[in-house]
Amino acid sequence: MGITGTLSSDQLDSFNSQGYLVIESFANPEDIQSMMKRMDKLLDDFDYTTVSVFSTKNQQRVTDDYFYQSAENISFFFEEKAFGDDGSLKKPKQLSINKVGHALHELDPVFKGFSTSEKVSGLLFSLGYKKPVIVQSMYIFKQPGIGGEVVPHQDNSFLYTEPTSCTGLWLALEDATLLNGCLWAIPGSHKNGLARRFLRGENGVYFDQPSPSYDQKDFVSIEVKAGSLVLIHGDLIHQSFENQSSKSRHAYSLHVVDTNGCKWAPENWMRRKVDPEPLFVAS
């Protein structure tokens, strides 16, 4: 197999205690430049006559086929505030996109190269994964001035396995600061279990429970430099605020689940026609 764990015992202890871990300089400048340049090209080639608006505040509206099919496509989602009353974009499309997902890691060679790298596999091996698969990838823009809020959530709500096994890998492609919408999390909140699930039914997608209320003073900011990776436990409560600055906050995010002893829930929003390939199979 050739995969070895890359996290130290101190890093594992911190992750298990806090529910997240910051790994500085995880990606080198060449990795970052390569991914950002590739995304520029994908955006240049994108014809936005078919539009989907993305919102974590009201996901029940985003139930169109374009959203569902994004599980196995490279799909483009606009910011809620990107359009004027007449339906036209207020700014160029490059400054209006919320995110691109959810199969960059499979379909694009640049993003696939990073996503399936030994350093990513090494992290997952350290965390005890036996047969991990990447179930989604997202390039998140957090545009200047209109980059939308991401409300408090847990990744296991959306990508549920029995037992739960989701881990998020959030890579800062640009510096993430208090001003441009860095991540915030409640340390240790992953120990309290999963609060609710995001389900797909006959009439679209919905949460099975109302959102719990959280005290903002319990959150801590996670400001990181470009190239830093934030490892996120699937039950960690985390969020980010609107970007009200003049600087974007690009990030590349992966979500991984285990397929050894863990069953993908059929009522998840994401339903694939072809099962993803595992990154490795551990004995």
Side-chain angles (χ1 to χ4, degrees):
M1 182 183 64
I3 301 296
T4 56
T6 54
L7 294 177
S8 68
S9 57
D10 286 347
Q11 286 176 312
L12 283 169
D13 288 345
S14 179
F15 178 72
N16 291 330
S17 171
Q18 301 297 306
Y20 68 93
L21 177 70
V22 175
I23 305 172
E24 295 180 353
S25 302
F26 185 81
N28 60 44
E30 292 75 27
D31 290 332
I32 295 170
Q33 184 178 25
S34 177
M35 285 189 273
M36 294 184 74
K37 186 176 179 180
R38 179 59 183 157
M39 184 50 64
D40 284 342
K41 180 68 167 65
L42 290 173
L43 272 178
D44 284 343
D45 295 343
F46 167 54
D47 176 5
Y48 63 91
T49 53
T50 302
V51 171
S52 190
V53 176
F54 183 76
S55 169
T56 65
K57 289 185 176 179
N58 189 6
Q59 279 161 314
Q60 287 180 250
R61 291 191 299 109
V62 192
T63 59
D64 56 5
D65 287 341
Y66 188 80
F67 174 62
Y68 291 146
Q69 291 166 4
S70 72
E72 293 175 286
N73 290 328
I74 296 175
S75 303
F76 298 77
F77 299 90
F78 284 95
E79 289 284 0
E80 279 191 308
K81 297 178 180 179
F83 295 91
D85 293 337
D86 62 354
S88 63
L89 287 176
K90 298 177 184 176
K91 296 181 179 181
K93 63 182 177 181
Q94 286 84 352
L95 296 175
S96 304
I97 292 286
N98 171 286
K99 70 172 187 175
V100 176
H102 290 95
L104 284 162
H105 64 284
E106 282 186 323
L107 302 179
D108 185 88
V110 173
F111 288 98
K112 183 176 183 177
F114 177 83
S115 306
T116 60
S117 64
E118 285 191 9
K119 55 187 170 185
V120 169
S121 293
L123 285 183
L124 300 172
F125 188 79
S126 291
L127 294 176
Y129 279 85
K130 299 298 185 185
K131 193 178 176 184
V133 298
I134 301 170
V135 286
Q136 71 175 23
S137 52
M138 297 181 287
Y139 191 106
I140 305 162
F141 293 84
K142 207 70 157 178
Q143 302 284 6
I146 63 168
E149 174 187 7
V150 177
V151 297
H153 66 282
Q154 299 166 292
D155 292 337
N156 274 327
S157 295
F158 303 91
L159 306 167
Y160 185 80
T161 61
E162 181 61 51
T164 55
S165 64
C166 183
T167 299
L169 286 73
W170 190 95
L171 177 71
L173 299 176
E174 298 179 306
D175 293 353
T177 68
L178 293 175
L179 295 176
N180 71 359
C182 69
L183 295 176
W184 292 71
I186 301 179
S189 57
H190 64 298
K191 297 176 182 178
N192 299 325
L194 188 60
R196 60 179 184 161
R197 289 180 57 193
F198 186 67
L199 306 175
R200 178 173 169 180
E202 291 183 3
N203 298 317
V205 289
Y206 63 96
F207 284 105
D208 65 347
Q209 300 287 338
S211 175
S213 58
Y214 300 107
D215 193 331
Q216 287 299 323
K217 70 175 174 48
D218 293 334
F219 285 86
V220 299
S221 61
I222 308 175
E223 293 187 277
V224 294
K225 293 291 187 182
S228 296
L229 183 83
V230 186
L231 202 59
I232 302 172
H233 188 284
D235 280 347
L236 182 77
I237 298 160
H238 59 290
Q239 65 177 354
S240 65
F241 295 108
E242 288 187 353
N243 181 1
Q244 298 180 341
S245 78
S246 60
K247 292 185 177 180
S248 59
R249 191 226 65 188
H250 289 200
Y252 180 56
S253 174
L254 298 170
H255 289 97
V256 179
V257 300
D258 211 340
T259 55
N260 183 323
C262 300
K263 185 177 183 295
W264 182 257
E267 62 273 18
N268 284 341
W269 79 265
M270 180 177 283
R271 299 175 186 177
R272 295 177 52 104
K273 298 181 181 69
V274 179
D275 289 337
E277 290 290 324
L279 292 173
F280 61 81
V281 179
S283 56

